[in-house]
């Protein structure tokens, strides 16, 4: 029963991150098409634009989740449903707080990758082409994490807890089954370091390619000289 709570939490975090983080790509392409991103880059540093977009989209995601969750809870109360999930091992308050933190870390990881991809794409078709490997890879990571939680303390479960893109899934399932808190503190600290590194890498890709459309064309090696 506790494992079912962890699996449902994994599934919710997966769908929310894939749905909401994917919106960053569409927003990025639209701003590049309308030249809005160049106006922003002329007013503030490009790194600030990158980080600001990530944090703003994360805040909007939390607002949407609170609205959807509140609406679902209200419907269940009105319908008088007696359905209830098994109480996780760490308790509901800590479990929900950990779910919010793990969603944020996973969203920032995927959002930084999506922004880096969106900065290199000029059309919606290019976005879909570049987005497909990331989506398929994240699905593979999710299935690996769902397999690993069936074997608590095994090698695959430890590997899933260490790997940054599967760590939120593995740790939220552990929170449903194990009452210990210190593994989550260590996992959150590790994920925060990896988030900072990947955001820095994504920021470099973003800065390198976001203004590429307005840059002067490079001279080809074997181009003819004009008179």
């Amino acid at each position: 029963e506790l494992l079912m709570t962890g699996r449902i939490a994994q599934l919710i975090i997966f769908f929310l991150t894939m749905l909401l983080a994917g919106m960053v790509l569409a927003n990025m392409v639209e701003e590049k098409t309308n030249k809005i991103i160049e106006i922003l880059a002329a007013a503030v540093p490009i790194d600030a634009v990158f980080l600001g977009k990530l944090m703003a989209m994360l805040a909007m995601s939390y607002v949407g989740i609170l609205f959807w969750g509140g609406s679902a809870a209200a419907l269940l109360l009105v319908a008088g449903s007696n359905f209830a999930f098994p109480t996780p091992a760490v308790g509901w308050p800590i479990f929900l707080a950990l779910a919010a933190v793990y969603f944020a870390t996973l969203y920032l990881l995927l959002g930084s990758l999506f922004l880096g991809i969106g900065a290199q794409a000029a059309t919606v078709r290019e976005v879909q082409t570049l987005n497909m490997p990331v989506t398929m890879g994240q699905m593979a990571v999710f299935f690996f994490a769902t397999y690993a939680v069936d074997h608590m303390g095994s090698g695959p479960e430890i590997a899933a807890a260490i790997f940054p893109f599967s760590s939120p899934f593995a740790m939220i399932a552990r929170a449903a089954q194990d009452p210990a808190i210190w593994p989550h503190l260590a996992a959150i600290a590790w994920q925060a370091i990896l988030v900072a590194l990947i955001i820095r890498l994504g920021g470099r890709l973003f800065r390198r390619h976001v203004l590429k459309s307005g840059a002067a064309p490079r001279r080809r090696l074997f181009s003819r000289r004009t008179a």
Side-chain angles (χ1 to χ4, degrees), residues 14 18-19 22 25 110 113-114 117 127-143:
F14 173 74
M18 295 307 298
L19 175 65
L25 274 175
L110 290 177
L113 286 181
F114 284 152
I117 291 172
V127 167
Q128 294 174 350
T129 303
L130 295 173
N131 183 31
M132 185 176 297
V134 177
T135 303
M136 297 301 294
Q138 188 60 17
M139 290 183 64
V141 167
F142 170 72
F143 288 126

Side-chain angles (χ1 to χ4, degrees), residues 93-171:
I94 297 178
F95 185 80
L96 294 177
L98 289 174
V101 173
Y102 290 139
F103 168 77
T105 56
L106 185 60
Y107 183 91
L108 291 175
L109 288 172
L110 290 177
S112 60
L113 286 181
F114 284 152
L115 276 181
I117 291 172
Q120 301 177 65
T123 62
V124 177
R125 180 174 297 180
E126 292 181 2
V127 167
Q128 294 174 350
T129 303
L130 295 173
N131 183 31
M132 185 176 297
V134 177
T135 303
M136 297 301 294
Q138 188 60 17
M139 290 183 64
V141 167
F142 170 72
F143 288 126
F144 170 67
T146 57
Y147 162 78
V149 296
D150 288 334
H151 308 81
M152 291 286 293
S154 64
E157 196 267 341
I158 295 175
I162 294 175
F163 187 65
F165 291 95
S166 62
S167 181
F169 300 126
M171 294 308 298

Side-chain angles (χ1 to χ4, degrees), residues 18-34 53 57 111 114-115 117-119 121-124 127-128 131:
M18 295 307 298
L19 175 65
L20 297 173
M23 295 173 60
V24 178
L25 274 175
N27 188 20
M28 182 68 216
V29 174
E30 182 179 356
E31 290 184 354
K32 286 188 67 177
T33 303
N34 299 331
K53 288 179 70 64
M57 294 299 291
F114 284 152
L115 276 181
I117 291 172
T123 62
V124 177
V127 167
Q128 294 174 350
N131 183 31

Side-chain angles (χ1 to χ4, degrees), residues 3-17:
L3 181 59
M4 184 185 73
T5 302
R7 288 191 180 280
I8 293 175
Q10 285 181 327
L11 192 63
I12 292 174
I13 291 176
F14 173 74
F15 278 111
L16 286 177
T17 50

